[in-house]
Amino acid sequence: MATSKLMRAIRVSEFGAPSVLKLCTDLPVPNPGEKQVLIRVHACGINPVETYIRSGSYARKPSLPYTPGSDISGVVEAVGDGVCLLQTGDRVFTTGTVTGGYAEFTLASEDTVHKLPDYLDYKQGAAIGVPYFTAYRALVQKAHAKAGETVLIHGASGGNATSGQGVNVIIEMLSNVNLSNDLQLLDFGGRVIIVGSRGPIEIYPRDTMMKETSIIGVALYNATNKETSECATALFAGMETGWLKPVIGPEYTLDKAAQAHEDIINSPGASGKMILII
């Protein structure tokens, strides 16, 4: 598909503070290559990891300049050669993009694009990607959590009430602060699943020996296509039966992306998914 259309998108030309997120208004709309899909973006989820990447502190750095964003929802505009499961006009959401989601149009590989159920709107679609797939990978594929086990979702909170009982699984968002304490909270055979960290921490390894506990790291980009497909199937089942429903938090327009990054850093306890409305 040849096109001379232009689009608006956020571009990052240097790593640094949120101010490096610049709105460009004259970028060419990309063309889909083999097994790629061009999507007209309606909404894009904003994830904490995007602030780490933008600052240059993340282990994996994109080539500059780049457009942030992996979790978008929208409508298929065009498909490249070899795409079989999607067609123009499909409502979709993504778990990854090729050209970045803070934009009016984005390219994504077919295997990262999923049909958006009719009972979810575009805002909810943009809230699925990283948060839901990471949660499933952490709880099911890595922690192997079982019915009846106690799970603690641990972020930047302080004390934890466990009623004298150990916790079976801790999903840890801020391990550089909490990990040592997490090991004290675990029950025998408990698991700490590391989802987020902003620096180093010192722990006492014997704490893992006493109750034979485990520390397991999770990175969504390591998931195989089979694992991603398994996750998507489970999430769709949950959404279809109504017990899994994305909650939307603060909303920003594309030109307010820098403000959104400021807010996600300074308000880690915000309720609901932070999204850009494109």
Side-chain angles (χ1 to χ4, degrees):
M1 174 186 131
T3 180
S4 58
K5 290 173 63 178
L6 299 178
M7 68 175 185
R8 298 183 308 137
I10 295 294
R11 296 294 277 169
V12 177
S13 298
E14 60 178 323
F15 297 114
S19 58
V20 302
L21 296 168
K22 304 292 187 183
L23 179 63
C24 295
T25 59
D26 58 353
L27 290 174
V29 174
N31 297 317
E34 187 174 2
K35 293 191 178 296
Q36 288 185 336
V37 179
L38 177 66
I39 303 168
R40 169 68 174 92
V41 181
H42 284 248
C44 181
I46 303 170
N47 297 301
V49 68
E50 289 150 23
T51 69
Y52 310 150
I53 296 170
R54 183 218 70 234
S55 71
S57 64
Y58 197 60
R60 300 177 65 188
K61 295 182 179 66
S63 300
L64 296 170
Y66 77 98
T67 295
S70 61
D71 298 357
I72 69 98
S73 64
V75 177
V76 173
E77 183 85 359
V79 298
D81 293 340
V83 173
C84 354
L85 301 177
L86 297 162
Q87 59 186 4
T88 301
D90 282 346
R91 298 171 75 248
V92 294
F93 73 93
T94 66
T95 54
T97 66
V98 175
T99 57
Y102 293 18
E104 291 180 313
F105 293 88
T106 191
L107 285 181
S109 298
E110 182 185 22
D111 58 6
T112 65
V113 181
H114 309 271
K115 289 187 179 180
L116 181 64
D118 291 338
Y119 42 83
L120 296 181
D121 61 30
Y122 291 116
K123 294 178 184 179
Q124 292 171 312
I128 298 171
V130 167
Y132 278 67
F133 279 69
T134 299
Y136 183 88
R137 182 163 178 77
L139 274 173
V140 179
Q141 294 176 338
K142 291 300 180 181
H144 303 292
K146 299 179 284 291
E149 288 194 314
T150 304
V151 178
L152 171 64
I153 312 297
H154 205 183
S157 56
N160 299 279
T162 60
S163 303
Q165 301 295 315
V167 177
N168 301 115
V169 177
I170 297 176
I171 306 299
E172 182 52 67
M173 311 291 192
L174 197 62
S175 54
N176 58 297
V177 173
N178 299 324
L179 183 55
S180 182
N181 188 46
D182 288 340
L183 297 177
Q184 312 301 317
L185 296 175
L186 289 175
D187 198 357
F188 187 88
R191 293 86 76 200
V192 180
I193 311 298
I194 306 296
V195 173
S197 181
R198 298 188 182 183
I201 184 173
E202 183 175 310
I203 65 168
Y204 188 31
R206 187 172 290 276
D207 288 339
T208 66
M209 298 164 61
M210 302 298 289
K211 292 180 284 187
E212 295 190 342
T213 55
S214 304
I215 302 170
I216 304 170
V218 169
L220 191 57
Y221 56 76
N222 288 325
T224 64
N225 288 343
K226 181 179 179 181
E227 289 171 328
T228 300
S229 178
E230 173 197 318
C231 178
T233 300
L235 292 177
F236 285 145
M239 289 184 280
E240 192 167 24
T241 53
W243 60 262
L244 192 157
K245 189 173 183 180
V247 177
I248 305 306
E251 301 175 16
Y252 300 81
T253 52
L254 192 57
D255 59 312
K256 301 297 183 185
Q259 183 61 55
H261 272 223
E262 290 275 8
D263 292 349
I264 203 171
I265 294 168
N266 297 321
S267 306
S271 176
K273 179 65 179 178
M274 185 179 286
I275 59 171
L276 287 174
I277 302 298
I278 312 297

